[in-house]
Amino acid sequence: MLQFDQVSLRFPDAPAPTLRNCTFEVDIGELVVILGPSGCGKTTLLKLVNRLYEATAGQIFFNGKDIQTIPLTALRRQMGYVIQQAGLFPHMTIAQNIAVVPKLLGWSKTEMAARVEELLDLVQLSPDFRQRYPSQLSGGQQQRVGLARALAANPAVLLMDEPFGALDAITRKSLQGELLKLQQQFHKTILFVSHDIEEALRLADRILILNQGHLVQYGTPWQILTQSASPFVEELVGTEDVLKQLSVLSVERVMVTTTSPVPHLPKIDCHASLRAALSLLLKSGQSQLQVMTGETAVGILDLNHIQAVWQDPAGLDTRPLV
Ligand SMILES: Nc1ncnc2c1ncn2[C@@H]1O[C@H](COP(=O)(O)OP(=O)(O)O)[C@@H](O)[C@H]1O
Ligand SMILES: [Mg+2]
């Protein structure tokens, strides 16, 4: 859906390029989180996609076409843009804010009203919000409107620049959850900028890590974590912290119980930590372990079980503590 080929950008008068030789692809329906410290070039990369900035070298393809060959309005129509603090127009009502792009596209009043109603429902705001102004909404509600506005003309791609960055932790979590739900329903292709590793791990199909304009790693959360490309990545994603979490959880809590032993699998005690299990899995090159209590087989532990735990630690809460 999107393809960067050796893309670089150097601002006029800047001593060094802000982005250097970035090459990566984003598949249809994929949610990619662009992660990195402040100033590393995340926003710049995002703005290249809808041509708010132009690359000074390299090419960007959208649906196989060089974006330079696509008329700007046609390109932007297919890309919803969501920014921090929503960026709503203060003098316009919520309904007018949401309908900005449909209005530009010449939709009728009836069509716009129907779409506004549909979108408010989608982002879980009551229809009463239509006539309010942005200043009369909480930060989280404004962000919901920002998302509704970006979705209004049903774009294929969503560009989201730290959309939940200014919200409190609880509101941020609930909006992340809703974004995931929307994503399951609509399968947009999403580029989502964040500097929050937890947010990245929670949302991303793949994470793209930038450091000083260089793409340093691009992979699934699991790959980023278990095969960090450099000490920079390890520190950024807190590989140590995740390993710490895995060392306080026992194999017993996530294994699948079965009393029929599987021959030839490496064996591990049910009270061993997930960290020890992970280490044994990686060392043995197997994807499963036989879980034992003394000489008795009591279950199977799969790599996927460990993966599921750290991708969604909350899922553990429903299991009995050991
Ligand atoms: N329009 C611009 N002109 C000149 N320099 C810019 C411009 N936009 C961003 N930069 C510089 O590019 C670097 C990356 O900025 P940015 O992409 O906003 O970082 P991030 O979003 O990762 O915090 C920064 O050093 C910033 O000062
Ligand atoms: Mg930024």
Side-chain angles (χ1 to χ4, degrees):
M1 180 66 117
L2 286 171
Q3 192 185 350
F4 274 55
D5 185 15
Q6 295 287 323
V7 172
S8 299
L9 182 147
R10 182 180 201 141
F11 289 108
D13 303 328
T18 289
L19 288 174
R20 308 164 201 233
N21 299 319
C22 290
T23 298
F24 65 94
E25 292 178 2
V26 181
D27 294 333
I28 293 179
E30 212 178 4
L31 196 164
V32 168
V33 172
I34 300 163
L35 185 70
S38 177
C40 68
K42 304 181 295 294
T43 295
T44 303
L45 188 151
L46 205 65
K47 286 182 171 175
L48 283 172
V49 179
N50 60 5
R51 288 181 57 196
L52 287 171
Y53 292 154
E54 302 283 358
T56 39
Q59 282 177 296
I60 301 168
F61 299 90
F62 172 54
N63 270 329
K65 271 196 187 159
D66 186 333
I67 59 171
Q68 294 293 334
T69 68
I70 305 171
L72 205 52
T73 44
L75 180 75
R76 292 199 182 144
R77 197 179 301 155
Q78 297 179 76
M79 296 183 176
Y81 191 36
V82 190
I83 56 174
Q84 207 177 69
Q85 269 141 2
L88 301 177
F89 301 114
H91 57 285
M92 288 186 183
T93 64
I94 298 310
Q96 288 167 336
N97 263 287
I98 293 177
V100 162
V101 177
K103 194 172 178 193
L104 285 175
L105 295 176
W107 293 21
S108 73
K109 280 208 165 123
T110 334
E111 285 171 321
M112 285 196 286
R115 185 66 177 146
V116 167
E117 194 165 327
E118 187 182 8
L119 285 163
L120 281 175
D121 184 53
L122 200 63
V123 298
Q124 312 230 343
L125 289 175
S126 118
D128 308 340
F129 279 85
R130 272 176 302 205
Q131 295 315 318
R132 291 210 208 169
Y133 287 87
S135 63
Q136 299 168 311
L137 271 57
S138 73
Q141 290 165 343
Q142 289 185 30
Q143 232 24 67
R144 288 168 194 271
V145 176
L147 185 58
R149 182 177 63 178
L151 289 167
N154 199 20
V157 174
L158 280 180
L159 306 174
M160 307 183 75
D161 195 350
E162 309 213 27
F164 310 145
L167 304 174
D168 63 87
I170 291 171
T171 310
R172 184 159 66 227
K173 249 197 150 153
S174 87
L175 276 164
Q176 287 165 356
E178 272 165 48
L179 180 66
L180 285 175
K181 263 195 249 156
L182 284 176
Q183 181 59 356
Q184 276 164 9
Q185 205 178 339
F186 296 108
H187 309 288
K188 299 287 178 194
T189 302
I190 303 179
L191 279 186
F192 187 110
V193 166
S194 179
H195 63 261
D196 174 359
I197 176 63
E198 271 181 51
E199 182 167 73
L201 293 176
R202 180 142 193 244
L203 296 179
D205 295 312
R206 283 196 279 182
I207 298 176
L208 186 157
I209 297 181
L210 280 183
N211 185 21
Q212 299 184 348
H214 290 278
L215 193 169
V216 291
Q217 192 167 7
Y218 186 37
T220 64
W222 182 243
Q223 286 167 341
I224 299 274
L225 205 83
T226 55
Q227 299 152 38
S228 301
S230 65
F232 170 83
V233 175
E234 275 179 22
E235 195 177 332
L236 184 75
V237 303
T239 304
E240 259 317 296
D241 296 343
V242 177
L243 290 178
K244 255 185 233 151
Q245 278 174 14
L246 290 182
S247 41
V248 299
L249 291 168
S250 69
V251 165
E252 203 167 29
R253 281 190 74 187
V254 292
M255 69 180 191
V256 170
T257 314
T258 162
T259 46
S260 31
V262 181
H264 312 307
L265 286 185
K267 292 181 177 136
I268 191 157
D269 187 82
C270 66
H271 298 301
S273 73
L274 289 183
R275 182 174 183 163
L278 178 61
S279 154
L280 184 57
L281 282 166
L282 294 175
K283 245 186 256 163
S284 65
Q286 299 276 351
S287 61
Q288 292 191 322
L289 299 176
Q290 176 75 66
V291 184
M292 310 292 291
T293 301
E295 293 303 307
T296 315
V298 289
I300 295 287
L301 181 78
D302 196 293
L303 190 56
N304 290 326
H305 300 151
I306 304 179
Q307 199 166 344
V309 166
W310 72 262
Q311 280 181 340
D312 184 19
L316 264 188
D317 297 345
T318 55
R319 291 165 186 266
L321 279 167
V322 283

